[in-house]
Every structure is written in C-alpha cells, then in structure tokens.
Amino acid sequence: MSEDSEDENRPTTPWRERVHEIIFEADTPEGKAFDVGLLIAILCSVAVVVAESVEEVRVRFGVYLLAAEWLFTILFTIEYGMRLACVRSPWRYACSFFGWVDLLAVLPMYLSLFVGGTHSLIVIRTLRLLRIFRVFKLGRYLKEARTLLIALKSTREKITVFLVAILSAVLILGAMMYLVEGPENGFTNIPVGVYWAIVTLTTVGYGDIHPKTAVGQILAALAMILGYSIIIVPTGIFSAEILTARQKDITTRSCATCGGEGHDHDANHCKFCGSRL
Amino acid sequence: MSEDSEDENRPTTPWRERVHEIIFEADTPEGKAFDVGLLIAILCSVAVVVAESVEEVRVRFGVYLLAAEWLFTILFTIEYGMRLACVRSPWRYACSFFGWVDLLAVLPMYLSLFVGGTHSLIVIRTLRLLRIFRVFKLGRYLKEARTLLIALKSTREKITVFLVAILSAVLILGAMMYLVEGPENGFTNIPVGVYWAIVTLTTVGYGDIHPKTAVGQILAALAMILGYSIIIVPTGIFSAEILTARQKDITTRSCATCGGEGHDHDANHCKFCGSRL
Amino acid sequence: MSEDSEDENRPTTPWRERVHEIIFEADTPEGKAFDVGLLIAILCSVAVVVAESVEEVRVRFGVYLLAAEWLFTILFTIEYGMRLACVRSPWRYACSFFGWVDLLAVLPMYLSLFVGGTHSLIVIRTLRLLRIFRVFKLGRYLKEARTLLIALKSTREKITVFLVAILSAVLILGAMMYLVEGPENGFTNIPVGVYWAIVTLTTVGYGDIHPKTAVGQILAALAMILGYSIIIVPTGIFSAEILTARQKDITTRSCATCGGEGHDHDANHCKFCGSRL
Amino acid sequence: MSEDSEDENRPTTPWRERVHEIIFEADTPEGKAFDVGLLIAILCSVAVVVAESVEEVRVRFGVYLLAAEWLFTILFTIEYGMRLACVRSPWRYACSFFGWVDLLAVLPMYLSLFVGGTHSLIVIRTLRLLRIFRVFKLGRYLKEARTLLIALKSTREKITVFLVAILSAVLILGAMMYLVEGPENGFTNIPVGVYWAIVTLTTVGYGDIHPKTAVGQILAALAMILGYSIIIVPTGIFSAEILTARQKDITTRSCATCGGEGHDHDANHCKFCGSRL
C-alpha cells in the first residue's frame, strides 16, 4: 500500500519520540503512570457500560453515567489521536487489530449523536475491554505465547479433524434424538436436536431440553459417556504437544525456503524442505 | 472373494486413470476443483436435510427442498457411479466404509419412491456428512492418526478396565439411589437410577431427576466428587501414553544418509544432512 | 489363623487340580469356556435384577424373573462350593474380597426365604456385577494396574492435601451462601449449602438449588471459576506422575528394610532408607 | 516492629520448650496424642456449627449445641493461650495466618456475649476448619508443595493472560446475549448475561437462565464449544509445567558422596551409595 511506504519515511521529531515512549513503552516512570491510568480508565469505562444496562441504576444515575461515558470517550479520542500522531506509520496502526479496537472504543458515542439510541451498540462498547491487553506490554508474554502458538500450530491438523468429527457426531446425534423423541418432547427439529447435543456433549446440561423416552435416555447416556471420554483426546494431544515444544526449547529460526518453523538447536537443514538453514 | 481377485486384474484404461486422478487425488487443479465442489455439495445437501426438519421452513419451501434433495441425490448417484467405474476393484470399494456411506447418501430418496415418507430415514440422510472426511485426503492426517491410534491401542486395556469399573459404579449407584429415593422422588426403577448416575458422573446434570432426601443428596455429593476425580485418571493415562508414543516416534527414526537421530515426528528431511527421510 | 495354616498343607488331589485349572485359569479350552459361561451368567443375572425393578416388567414377568433369579442363585452356589472345594485354603478364599462378593451374590435369595421381601437387598444383588472382574484374569492387567498404583501412591499425599482443601472450600462456601441467600432462596441450612457447593464446583449444576440474589450470584460465579481452574491442578499432577512412572519403567523391587517401592533399575540402595537392596 | 525484636530474645525456659514440643511437633507420643485430640476437637466443633444451622436440630438440641460450642471455645482459648505462651515471638505468631485463624475460632462466641445473635458470624465460625491444616505438620508436604508452587509460579503469567482473556470473553458474550435475548428471556442486564456466560463456559449449566431465541441458542452453542476447548489450554500448560519442574528437580540433584545423578524427587538417600542426600 502506497500510503504505508510513505508513512515509513516520515521524519521522527523528538517530541514524537517522547510521546511514543510514554504511550507505547513502560520503562519510564511516565510510561508506567500512563499505563496505570489507562488501565483504570478502561475498567471504569467498562463498568459504566455494564452499570448502564442495569434498569435500577440507569433510571437513577442515567445522567451521570452519560457524562462519564462522554468523559471517557473524549479521553480515549485524545489518546487515539496521540497514538496516530506519534506512531511512525499511522495508516498501519489504524489498520492493525488494536487500531480498530481503539477506534471502536470511541465510535459508538459519536454515532449516538446522529442515530438515536446506542442500545444496539452496547456490544461494541464492551469491546473496549480488549484494550486491557495493551497494558501488559505483550513483550514479556511473547515467549509464553510462542510456545502456545507452536503447540497450537502443530496440533492444528489434529484439532481440525477432531472438530469435524465432533460436528458430525453432534449432527447425527441431534437427528437421532429428533427422530426418537420428536416434537412432543421438545425436540421440535434437527437444529434443536443439535443444540441439545452440544449442550450435552459439553456437559453443560441446562435441562431445558432433555430426553423423556426410554430410548432417548439410553441414547443420551451413551452420548454423555462418549462426550466424557472425548475430552481426553485433545487434552492429551495438547499436553504432549506443549511439553514437546517446551522440552526441545525450539529456536526462533525459520526456514528461508519454505518458512517452516520449530527447528531444533542442532539442526543444519530445514526438516520440512531439507534446504540449508 | 473371487470377484475381488478378478477385479484386481481389470485393465486400467487411460480415461479411467484420468477420472480416478480427478476424483481420488487433489494434486491436479481438476482434483482440487472437484474436492471443493464436493465439499460444497455435501454441506448444501446436509443443510437441506436440516432445513426440511424445521416446520416453518418445510411448509413454505417444501417443494424447493425436495427439488434440491433430488438434485443432490442425482449428483451423488453420478459420482457414486464414476467412483465404481474408475476404481481398480469396484467390489472392494463398494464394501469399504466410504463405499457404504456413499451408497447410503443416495439410497433414501430412491427408497422414498416406493415406501412413502422418508421421515424415518432422516438419520441415514444426515450420515452423508461423513463424506466430508473424503475431502481432506486423509494421507496428510495419517501420521497424526497413527500417533493417536498407537496411544489409543496401548491404552485399550486400561480403558477397558476403566469402563467396566465405571459401569459397575454407575449400576450400583443407580440401585442405591433407587432404594434410597424411591419412585416418589422420580427414581422409578434401576434403569432411571443408572441414567441419573451417568448424567451426574459425567457432570452433565440436567436436573430433570435429582435427589431430594438428605441421604440421597449425601450419596450424590460423594458420587460427584468421585466422578470429578475419576476423569483425572484416563486423562493422565492418555496424556502420558500419547507423549510416549510421540517420543518413541522421535527416537526410532534415523537418517539413512548420515545416520543422524532425534528427528521430530513431523520431519520430512534429516535436520543434519537435509536428505529425505 | 490356625485353620489357615492347616488349610495350607491340605493335600491337592488331581481332580482338585483339574477343577482349579478350569475355574481359576483361562489357558485350557475348558477354562475359556467356563469364563465365557460365567460372564454370560453374571450379565443375565444382573439384567434380571434390573428388569425386576421396572414396574411394568415385574407385574407381567414377575414369576419368570423369580425363576431365573433362583436358577442363577443355584448356579452361583454350586460355583461357590466348587471354588471352596478346589482352592488350597478355603478359609483365606472365603475371607478374600472376591470370596465375599461371591457369597453376597447368592445370599440375598436364601435370606428372602426367611425374611420377606428382598427389596432392600437389591443393592447387594447388584454387587454381583463386580464378579465380572473375575473373568478378565487380572494378570494381564497387573502391569497397567501397577503403573496406575505407583502413580496414585506417589500422588497420595498431594491428593490428600488437595481433598482437604476442597472440603474446606466447600464448607466455607456453603456457609457463605446459607448466610447470603438464606432459607427463602432454598439454602435452608449449611448442609444444603455444602450440597450446592459440591454440585457447583464439580460443574454438575442440577439447578434444583441456585443463587437468586445478586451477591449470591457473584459468589457463585467466583466459585465456578475457582472450581474450573481447580481441576487443572490434580490433572496436571497425575499426568506428570504417571508419565514419570512410565518413563522410568520402575522395577518391582521393594526395600527389605523400609518396604519402599518404585526403585530405578540402576539403584543399589533404597532411596528412602539408604539400606542395600 | 520493636515488640518483635524483644520477643526474639525472650529466654526459652524448659517448660516452654516442653509445651512447644507437644503443641507444635508430632515426634513425641504426647505430640501425636495432642494432634489427634486437636483434630477430633476441630471436626466436632465444626459439626456443631453445621448442626446448629439445621432448623430441626436447633429447636430440639439447641441448648446442648450451645454448651458444646462453649466447651470448644474454652478449649481453643486455652490452646490459643498456650501457643502464645510457648512460641518464641507471640506477636509474630498472633500476626501469622494461623494466628488469625486460631483467634477467629474463638472470637465469635465471646462477641455473642455483647452483640446478640451470632448468626451473621456463622461463616467466621466455619473458618476454624482451616485449623485442620495445622494437624498435618506441613513439613512432610512441603516438597510436594514446592513442586506445585514452582509449576504455578512459572505458569503465573500464562494464567494471568488466560484469565483476562476469559473475563473479556465472558463480558462480551454476556453483552451479546443481553442484546440478543433481552429482558423478556431473563437476560435483564449485562451482569446477568455475564453470570449466564460464566455458568455456561464453566459447564455448570444450572438452567435457571438459558437462551430461548434461535440466535441466542446458536451463540450459546458456539460459546460452549469454545469453553469446552478452552479448558484444554491451561491443563496442557500446567501438566507440561509440573512435569518440567519435576524433571528439573530430578536432574539438578547429585549425591555429595559418589556424585551420582538422576535421583527421584522423593529420594532421601543416594540410590548408588546409599548416603543421605
């Protein structure tokens, strides 16, 4: 993208450096203070959203909540502007995940000026909680994250097969129960049956829909034992996977040819394509 | 089986080779296209079955759904025929698991021509979802599957003992509750008690049947703690098992060229000399 | 015990050898046949007990069930007698776990001749299912069992602390909910609160008792997250433990001085008391 | 703190030594006897608290329970005094966790003399169960505890990220359901939605609140599968973590006498030369 490249060679003035350091790092006292302040602001603003949804609170403190909401919106707007101002490439930032989160944190209130009633925007407003992840500068967690990602990546295929298998099981089970129990027992159609199957296999078991006929109960019992033993499989896979990743203390090296990752320390060649590392 | 052997030495004509490549492999563009098409067809046809089970949809779009169902049935019939035509031994294919699944995907509609009402065949019609597994050519997953199978096989005996133990526990628990709570509290007979025990030990807990007497609740509480701690055992076994299988896999493989050892289970090339394993 | 010692030096006649081989081993065809027969008999007799508890079945086939019950009782009595006859020390057998199970399998019917109504004995009658464990000659499973036992033994202390912690948590939680929710919301006393806490922490969640006040729901939510994260601890411990036991492939040697078990192959001294092995 | 330092150099008279040995250690017969007595006293006193909360029991045996409660209070008061008397620094003891627990075990009854009705103190009274942990002298469990702590500490950061992620998921999910289902289906406000989300993701599933609209049920189904697969992550992390901690423990220990390595985490003596580790 052309804007991007020209953003790149935007000159970094000292004040921009300074602001960037405060907002994006946590090494300086100002940086720490900013993070703490941001954390509090985020939590309070979320608390406001939650409180607003409570009837009793809204009727009594509605106006104060609105004021607070506007206060936080303005604060976050300023912060958003500063971030845009001090990053080396505003465009990339704006398009990044956190860029969107920061924007969505302020947008709803401004929208509410034009379209009446922010009620339907309440979910978007809660998204601002995600900004919390900004505060722990993720650098510290990257190593952890990497181990997790490697484990997840190398289990991806297994998990895929596993999920498809689950979905098939859930669909067929739902269809069976729909046939066996029928609408008179609450299984009005296959989607309901599938919903029941998921509620059961995940051991949530609300009890809003449950088998009443003998055959249905036998089917359900078998399904539960199945579901109970099924959780073992991915858990085992994942534990083993993450342990392997851990023990081998995999290097960050990635193959220049095929981009494969997760090479051992003593590896000279890519284990996937065999080209020299 | 005699047909089988004579199938074997059926001459493979070029067009047969071609079709086989398209249908059974995914290396050629045509093969990929076919797979994607098949995937979509399967999902749509399942969606039709599901939609048909919804009262509101059936009354409004019943005729379209029937048309779609026939369309997919004909498509799948053609596919089935082509598969039969191009495999080297049709008989073995027809008797294979997927052979049956492919057949069951089309059979219900043809049956519905003679016997009225396919309602009771709805479960068989959902089975066609299993054909999804055709689409990921399982070759890629075989290695994963092997690790899983090794782990499962070596835990088989343990799991058997474990299951029998569970079943005994469930039966005895069910009988106890039937005795303690009695029909007046919903435990009308031992099977119901067993059903309750399974619902409880798997932590599903619908709440349709639950102990009301003090003794029953104490029994239930003990059962829950039991069930809660029981899941640990197989999980532990399985995790250990799969990890052992993995590690064995790592240790046993050595490079034919340089004799290097300690290759990962997902390695295709020797990490030392880069030659294919 | 004096009987015991004199049992020991009871001469083993050939026919006794023969019967013992058939009943207790599964190497000879007769032994296998006997096992299969026993398995079927056990399952059928349990099925009879279960069926008898079902109102509809009892009223219609009550007499046949009674006949079958007597048949199995007599069969098992003969078997029990033969076991007593062919073992080298009848007394020790009679006192062993399976000795008791075998006896309890036949006792209820004989008791029913004197005291009327075997209803309250129904639980004892279901205990006969445990005799199934006789059929898989446990020798094959001993190695598995040993690994399990070692893992369990070495986690015993951890599990103890863990269980006491859980019980404290459950009691205190129950008391809190009793205080917060009170009898008007179903928490009529602390035992009920504890019952609720167990139902919740084990994620069974019947829903027969659940918090209705805001404070109660917050407490419950915290408790659930607690309970959810708690299952991780013992699972992790156990997985690690069983894996260690597996990998070290522990010997059966036990220390002559302190009786400690689980020594490595290369161990010359007991790792607990240091005395020579 | 000045008292502290002067406590330190408080002369330890022989009788004080003696009492300390009895109360705080379990090596002497008196010490063991004291522990057993304490254990019984604690359990009984807790039983009294629980029994008192049961309507029927209170009305019939209220006076006896009160007497028993006073008896235990006096016993625990004496014990508390003796502990204060024999420890080298009473102040530090009084400020320690168990010091507080010991105090809170007796306080409620004395308070009940002045303020009427100990009902609201019932939770504090149940806290005395924690004194059980005094009885297993924790020394034996320290090694186990250490492994656990190491594992927990090294997973702390991961768990933090994990918990924040869960909380965000729960909040956003709650808001979505509040929007989709609305007050007419029981989701009266976001807190209720969050409560539902926690009840669902932890697979407790009371069923007091559950989605009724199709969209809500689809959302719920997705959330359940999410929650179901989420438990795998921390379990895997923790299992791997604890195993690593264990193995590190094994590798790092070497015998001072013969320099042998690879001792188990529960080994007290070198397995090669038998000398104490």
Side-chain angles (χ1 to χ4, degrees):
Chain A
M1 46 190 84
S2 58
E3 311 92 325
D4 211 61
S5 47
E6 77 198 20
D7 289 334
E8 283 309 353
N9 41 42
R10 167 163 95 172
T12 63
T13 60
W15 70 264
R16 180 172 288 153
E17 286 290 348
R18 185 97 188 74
V19 176
H20 186 285
E21 192 174 272
I22 293 175
I23 297 185
F24 284 90
E25 262 108 272
D27 313 328
T28 58
E30 297 88 343
K32 282 201 177 50
F34 178 85
D35 278 354
V36 176
L38 184 59
L39 184 59
I40 294 165
I42 293 169
L43 293 179
C44 293
S45 66
V46 170
V48 167
V49 178
V50 172
E52 211 180 300
S53 77
V54 184
E55 188 69 37
E56 304 73 38
V57 180
R58 187 166 59 245
V59 292
R60 286 188 52 196
F61 308 104
V63 57
Y64 304 107
L65 291 173
L66 191 64
E69 182 65 22
W70 271 114
L71 171 64
F72 288 120
T73 305
I74 289 154
L75 280 178
F76 291 153
T77 315
I78 295 165
E79 184 208 347
Y80 185 63
M82 282 165 72
R83 287 188 187 272
L84 273 178
C86 71
V87 287
R88 297 193 70 256
S89 94
W91 184 254
R92 183 181 297 156
Y93 160 70
C95 299
S96 71
F97 172 70
F98 275 123
W100 277 108
V101 172
D102 293 347
L103 186 61
L104 287 175
V106 297
L107 225 50
M109 284 311 278
Y110 295 122
L111 276 174
S112 68
L113 293 180
F114 311 108
V115 294
T118 59
H119 182 67
S120 58
L121 296 172
I122 199 157
V123 174
I124 294 172
R125 285 166 64 197
T126 53
L127 285 180
R128 63 180 63 161
L129 184 61
L130 293 176
R131 305 182 70 235
I132 264 189
F133 287 103
R134 276 199 168 297
V135 176
F136 358 89
K137 299 270 167 291
L138 289 166
R140 287 165 44 208
Y141 297 95
L142 271 187
K143 197 169 164 311
E144 319 293 350
R146 245 195 56 255
T147 325
L148 264 179
L149 278 181
I150 292 174
L152 277 173
K153 223 180 269 171
S154 45
T155 45
R156 197 189 341 83
E157 298 195 333
K158 288 203 211 63
I159 299 293
T160 315
V161 178
F162 183 73
L163 273 183
V164 177
I166 292 280
L167 288 179
S168 317
V170 158
L171 178 74
I172 292 162
L173 196 63
M176 280 169 148
M177 291 303 280
Y178 164 62
L179 191 66
V180 171
E181 292 279 322
E184 62 276 21
N185 293 329
F187 292 80
T188 47
N189 51 46
I190 290 186
V192 169
V194 171
Y195 168 71
W196 168 86
I198 292 174
V199 171
T200 300
L201 282 186
T202 54
T203 76
V204 171
Y206 285 134
D208 51 350
I209 313 167
H210 56 79
K212 294 188 182 56
T213 66
V215 186
Q217 292 184 333
I218 291 166
L219 260 175
L222 294 178
M224 286 168 206
I225 292 173
L226 172 82
Y228 193 61
S229 43
I230 260 175
I231 197 175
I232 296 169
V233 177
T235 312
I237 296 174
F238 193 77
S239 306
E241 207 59 63
I242 202 168
L243 189 58
T244 320
R246 170 79 43 77
Q247 285 176 328
K248 307 225 331 301
D249 176 22
I250 287 147
T251 62
T252 52
R253 296 185 299 174
S254 70
C255 173
T257 317
C258 70
E261 276 197 336
H263 301 295
D264 305 347
H265 276 297
D266 58 353
N268 311 324
H269 288 261
C270 171
K271 63 183 179 180
F272 301 113
C273 65
S275 60
R276 187 142 198 89
L277 287 169
Chain B
M1 43 192 85
S2 57
E3 312 93 323
D4 211 61
S5 47
E6 76 198 22
D7 290 333
E8 284 308 353
N9 40 40
R10 165 164 96 174
T12 65
T13 59
W15 71 264
R16 182 172 288 154
E17 285 290 349
R18 185 96 188 74
V19 176
H20 186 284
E21 192 174 275
I22 293 174
I23 297 185
F24 284 90
E25 262 108 89
D27 313 327
T28 58
E30 296 88 342
K32 281 202 179 51
F34 179 84
D35 278 354
V36 175
L38 184 58
L39 185 59
I40 293 164
I42 294 170
L43 293 178
C44 294
S45 66
V46 170
V48 167
V49 178
V50 171
E52 209 181 301
S53 77
V54 183
E55 189 68 39
E56 304 73 37
V57 180
R58 187 168 56 243
V59 292
R60 287 187 51 197
F61 308 104
V63 57
Y64 304 106
L65 291 174
L66 191 64
E69 182 65 22
W70 270 114
L71 171 64
F72 289 120
T73 304
I74 290 154
L75 280 179
F76 290 152
T77 315
I78 296 164
E79 183 208 348
Y80 185 64
M82 282 165 71
R83 287 187 188 273
L84 272 179
C86 70
V87 287
R88 295 194 70 256
S89 94
W91 184 253
R92 182 179 297 154
Y93 160 69
C95 298
S96 71
F97 173 70
F98 275 122
W100 276 107
V101 172
D102 294 346
L103 185 60
L104 287 174
V106 297
L107 225 49
M109 284 312 277
Y110 294 123
L111 276 175
S112 68
L113 293 180
F114 311 107
V115 294
T118 59
H119 183 66
S120 57
L121 297 173
I122 200 159
V123 174
I124 295 172
R125 285 166 63 197
T126 54
L127 285 180
R128 64 181 62 162
L129 184 60
L130 293 176
R131 306 183 69 236
I132 268 189
F133 287 103
R134 274 199 169 296
V135 176
F136 357 90
K137 298 274 169 288
L138 288 167
R140 287 167 43 210
Y141 297 95
L142 272 187
K143 208 184 284 157
E144 320 294 349
R146 243 193 57 251
T147 325
L148 264 179
L149 279 180
I150 293 174
L152 277 173
K153 221 179 271 170
S154 45
T155 45
R156 197 187 343 79
E157 297 196 334
K158 288 204 210 63
I159 299 293
T160 315
V161 178
F162 182 72
L163 274 184
V164 177
I166 292 279
L167 288 179
S168 317
V170 157
L171 178 74
I172 292 162
L173 197 63
M176 281 170 147
M177 292 303 280
Y178 164 64
L179 191 65
V180 170
E181 292 279 321
E184 62 275 20
N185 292 330
F187 291 80
T188 46
N189 51 46
I190 289 186
V192 169
V194 171
Y195 169 71
W196 168 85
I198 292 174
V199 170
T200 300
L201 282 186
T202 53
T203 76
V204 171
Y206 285 134
D208 51 350
I209 313 167
H210 56 78
K212 294 186 182 58
T213 66
V215 187
Q217 292 184 333
I218 292 166
L219 261 175
L222 294 178
M224 287 168 207
I225 292 173
L226 172 81
Y228 193 61
S229 43
I230 260 175
I231 197 176
I232 297 168
V233 177
T235 312
I237 294 174
F238 193 77
S239 307
E241 207 59 64
I242 202 166
L243 190 58
T244 319
R246 172 80 44 77
Q247 287 174 333
K248 205 179 291 127
D249 191 6
I250 291 174
T251 49
T252 47
R253 296 173 62 193
S254 70
C255 173
T257 316
C258 69
E261 281 195 336
H263 302 294
D264 304 346
H265 59 102
D266 59 351
N268 310 325
H269 288 263
C270 171
K271 63 185 180 181
F272 302 113
C273 65
S275 57
R276 186 144 199 87
L277 284 170
Chain C
M1 47 190 81
S2 58
E3 311 92 325
D4 210 63
S5 46
E6 76 197 25
D7 289 334
E8 284 307 353
N9 40 42
R10 166 164 95 174
T12 64
T13 59
W15 70 264
R16 181 173 289 154
E17 286 289 348
R18 185 99 187 73
V19 176
H20 187 285
E21 193 174 271
I22 293 173
I23 297 184
F24 285 90
E25 263 108 88
D27 312 328
T28 58
E30 295 89 342
K32 282 203 179 50
F34 178 84
D35 278 354
V36 174
L38 184 59
L39 185 59
I40 293 164
I42 293 169
L43 293 178
C44 293
S45 66
V46 170
V48 168
V49 177
V50 171
E52 210 182 299
S53 76
V54 183
E55 188 68 38
E56 303 72 40
V57 180
R58 188 167 57 245
V59 292
R60 287 186 52 196
F61 308 103
V63 56
Y64 305 106
L65 291 173
L66 191 63
E69 181 65 24
W70 270 113
L71 172 65
F72 289 121
T73 306
I74 289 154
L75 281 179
F76 290 154
T77 315
I78 295 165
E79 183 208 349
Y80 185 64
M82 282 165 71
R83 287 187 188 272
L84 272 178
C86 70
V87 288
R88 294 194 70 257
S89 94
W91 184 254
R92 182 178 298 153
Y93 161 70
C95 298
S96 71
F97 173 70
F98 275 122
W100 276 106
V101 171
D102 294 345
L103 186 60
L104 287 174
V106 296
L107 225 50
M109 284 312 277
Y110 294 123
L111 276 174
S112 68
L113 292 180
F114 311 108
V115 293
T118 60
H119 183 66
S120 58
L121 297 172
I122 199 158
V123 175
I124 295 172
R125 285 166 64 197
T126 52
L127 285 180
R128 64 181 62 160
L129 184 60
L130 294 176
R131 307 185 67 234
I132 265 188
F133 287 102
R134 275 199 170 296
V135 177
F136 0 88
K137 299 274 170 287
L138 288 165
R140 288 166 43 210
Y141 297 95
L142 271 188
K143 198 170 163 309
E144 320 293 348
R146 247 195 54 256
T147 325
L148 264 179
L149 279 179
I150 292 174
L152 277 173
K153 224 181 265 170
S154 46
T155 46
R156 196 186 345 82
E157 298 195 333
K158 287 202 212 62
I159 298 294
T160 315
V161 178
F162 183 74
L163 273 184
V164 177
I166 292 280
L167 288 179
S168 317
V170 157
L171 178 74
I172 292 162
L173 197 63
M176 281 170 147
M177 292 303 280
Y178 164 63
L179 191 65
V180 170
E181 292 278 322
E184 62 274 21
N185 294 329
F187 291 81
T188 47
N189 52 45
I190 289 186
V192 169
V194 171
Y195 169 70
W196 168 86
I198 292 174
V199 170
T200 301
L201 282 186
T202 53
T203 76
V204 171
Y206 285 134
D208 52 348
I209 313 167
H210 56 78
K212 295 186 182 57
T213 66
V215 186
Q217 292 184 333
I218 292 166
L219 260 175
L222 294 177
M224 286 168 207
I225 292 173
L226 172 82
Y228 193 60
S229 43
I230 260 176
I231 197 176
I232 296 168
V233 177
T235 312
I237 295 173
F238 193 77
S239 307
E241 206 60 62
I242 203 168
L243 189 58
T244 321
R246 170 79 44 76
Q247 285 176 329
K248 306 221 336 298
D249 176 22
I250 287 149
T251 61
T252 51
R253 294 185 299 174
S254 69
C255 173
T257 317
C258 70
E261 277 197 336
H263 300 294
D264 305 346
H265 276 298
D266 57 355
N268 312 324
H269 288 264
C270 170
K271 62 184 181 181
F272 301 112
C273 67
S275 59
R276 186 142 198 90
L277 287 169
Chain D
M1 48 190 81
S2 58
E3 310 92 326
D4 210 61
S5 48
E6 76 198 23
D7 289 333
E8 282 308 353
N9 42 42
R10 165 163 96 174
T12 63
T13 60
W15 72 263
R16 181 172 289 154
E17 287 288 349
R18 185 99 187 74
V19 176
H20 187 284
E21 193 175 271
I22 294 174
I23 297 185
F24 285 90
E25 263 108 89
D27 313 328
T28 58
E30 297 89 342
K32 282 201 178 49
F34 178 84
D35 278 354
V36 176
L38 184 59
L39 185 59
I40 294 165
I42 294 169
L43 293 178
C44 293
S45 65
V46 170
V48 168
V49 177
V50 171
E52 212 182 300
S53 77
V54 184
E55 188 69 37
E56 304 73 39
V57 180
R58 187 167 58 244
V59 292
R60 286 186 54 196
F61 307 105
V63 57
Y64 304 107
L65 292 173
L66 191 64
E69 182 65 23
W70 270 113
L71 172 64
F72 289 121
T73 305
I74 289 154
L75 279 178
F76 291 152
T77 315
I78 295 166
E79 184 208 349
Y80 186 63
M82 281 166 73
R83 287 186 187 273
L84 271 178
C86 71
V87 288
R88 295 193 73 256
S89 93
W91 184 253
R92 182 178 299 156
Y93 160 70
C95 298
S96 71
F97 172 70
F98 275 122
W100 276 107
V101 171
D102 294 346
L103 186 60
L104 288 174
V106 297
L107 225 50
M109 284 312 278
Y110 294 122
L111 277 174
S112 69
L113 293 180
F114 311 108
V115 294
T118 59
H119 182 65
S120 57
L121 297 171
I122 199 158
V123 174
I124 294 173
R125 284 166 64 198
T126 53
L127 284 180
R128 65 182 60 162
L129 184 60
L130 292 176
R131 306 184 69 235
I132 267 189
F133 287 103
R134 275 200 170 294
V135 175
F136 359 90
K137 300 273 169 289
L138 289 166
R140 288 166 42 209
Y141 297 94
L142 272 187
K143 207 183 285 157
E144 319 293 349
R146 242 193 57 252
T147 325
L148 264 179
L149 279 180
I150 293 175
L152 277 174
K153 221 178 270 169
S154 45
T155 45
R156 196 189 343 81
E157 299 196 332
K158 288 203 211 65
I159 298 294
T160 315
V161 178
F162 183 73
L163 273 184
V164 177
I166 292 280
L167 288 179
S168 317
V170 158
L171 178 74
I172 292 162
L173 196 63
M176 280 170 148
M177 291 303 280
Y178 164 64
L179 191 64
V180 170
E181 292 279 322
E184 62 276 19
N185 292 331
F187 291 80
T188 47
N189 51 46
I190 290 186
V192 169
V194 171
Y195 168 71
W196 168 85
I198 292 173
V199 170
T200 300
L201 282 186
T202 54
T203 77
V204 171
Y206 285 133
D208 51 348
I209 314 166
H210 56 79
K212 294 187 182 56
T213 66
V215 186
Q217 292 184 333
I218 292 165
L219 260 175
L222 294 177
M224 286 168 207
I225 292 173
L226 172 82
Y228 194 60
S229 44
I230 259 175
I231 197 176
I232 296 168
V233 177
T235 312
I237 295 174
F238 193 78
S239 306
E241 208 58 64
I242 202 167
L243 189 58
T244 321
R246 170 79 44 78
Q247 286 174 333
K248 206 177 290 127
D249 191 5
I250 292 176
T251 50
T252 48
R253 296 173 61 193
S254 69
C255 173
T257 317
C258 69
E261 280 195 337
H263 301 294
D264 305 344
H265 60 101
D266 60 350
N268 311 324
H269 288 263
C270 171
K271 63 184 180 182
F272 302 113
C273 66
S275 59
R276 186 145 198 88
L277 286 169

